[in-house]
Amino acid sequence: MPLLSEHLDWVTLSIDSASSLTLLELGRAVQGTRVIPADRYLELGQAVRGAGMRLKLNTVVTSANVAEDMSGFVATLAPERWKIMRVLPVQGQNSGKVEPFLCSADEFEAFVQRHYHLETDGIRIVPEDNDDMRGSYAMVDPAGRFYDNVSGGYRYTRPILEVGVDAAWSQVAFYMDRFVARGGVYNFAA
């Protein structure tokens, strides 16, 4: 990890549950059966901070974890930022698979409120509901195309290397006000 710390300021861990059973239900497993146990995530968090890098946590809230209280786990992991996102249906990407995992806006809000007390421990809570995510990310796919999700599915530009950044960027919808509202602007260096 010391070699990475020369080049990386932040490391983000995506952890949707502290429960191995929930992770299995969500399909967060290698070869369908092996999950990373909570203790291993805690070790990784320690290693990240020990190497002088900053730690962020991402969690997607679904019907499988919406009732979970992750407070103890997250407090021990001690990320500086915890982005909590409600599972986002994306037409053509997760259609037909995501429906059993959807949760309501009220359930999502209850999950967020259950964990807000962690801000007193110095963990910045950054909730993102579905409308917060649409049109507020600058995304590039492996083919080198910008894409957006404003209409509920992905819409792709021409490849950036073919048409240039400006021309490709003009083909997507990006809303700076949504980006700012979801906490996208913060001091990365502090």
Side-chain angles (χ1 to χ4, degrees):
M1 194 120 13
L3 290 174
L4 292 176
S5 66
E6 295 176 21
H7 307 285
L8 292 177
D9 297 321
W10 287 83
V11 171
T12 301
L13 297 177
S14 293
I15 308 171
D16 296 336
S17 177
S19 162
S20 293
L21 291 175
T22 302
L23 292 173
L24 276 173
E25 181 181 349
L26 291 169
R28 299 284 195 191
V30 177
Q31 298 176 342
T33 59
R34 284 189 346 205
V35 299
I36 298 174
D39 290 350
R40 179 64 181 136
Y41 281 122
L42 296 175
E43 290 170 6
L44 288 169
Q46 251 181 346
V48 166
R49 282 189 304 283
M53 296 178 284
R54 299 171 77 187
L55 183 62
K56 184 177 104 176
L57 173 61
N58 284 352
T59 297
V60 177
V61 178
T62 68
S63 62
N65 65 357
V66 72
E68 186 172 347
D69 186 345
M70 294 178 63
S71 297
F73 171 76
V74 174
T76 303
L77 184 65
E80 289 183 49
R81 290 175 64 87
W82 184 17
K83 187 184 294 189
I84 304 172
M85 300 165 280
R86 182 160 66 120
V87 62
L88 180 67
V90 181
Q91 295 166 6
Q93 297 295 312
N94 60 11
S95 304
K97 297 178 185 129
V98 73
E99 290 77 9
F101 296 104
L102 297 178
C103 63
S104 72
D106 288 341
E107 290 172 317
F108 173 73
E109 183 60 26
F111 182 94
V112 171
Q113 289 303 317
R114 185 178 317 120
H115 296 94
Y116 252 123
H117 69 92
L118 292 169
E119 288 209 335
T120 61
D121 294 334
I123 299 169
R124 172 80 167 102
I125 304 292
V126 184
E128 291 185 22
D129 206 339
N130 291 174
D131 289 339
D132 302 323
M133 290 184 270
R134 289 194 178 99
S136 70
Y137 279 88
M139 301 183 289
V140 179
D141 77 349
R145 304 172 296 180
F146 287 119
Y147 64 105
D148 70 41
N149 61 357
V150 173
S151 64
Y154 289 150
R155 182 177 58 155
Y156 299 88
T157 69
R158 302 272 306 136
I160 298 165
L161 293 178
E162 283 181 21
V163 298
V165 171
D166 292 336
W169 186 248
S170 72
Q171 297 171 16
V172 292
F174 177 81
Y175 302 107
M176 181 58 83
D177 58 332
R178 290 184 189 177
F179 175 75
V180 171
R182 70 167 175 78
V185 177
Y186 63 97
N187 187 350
F188 291 89

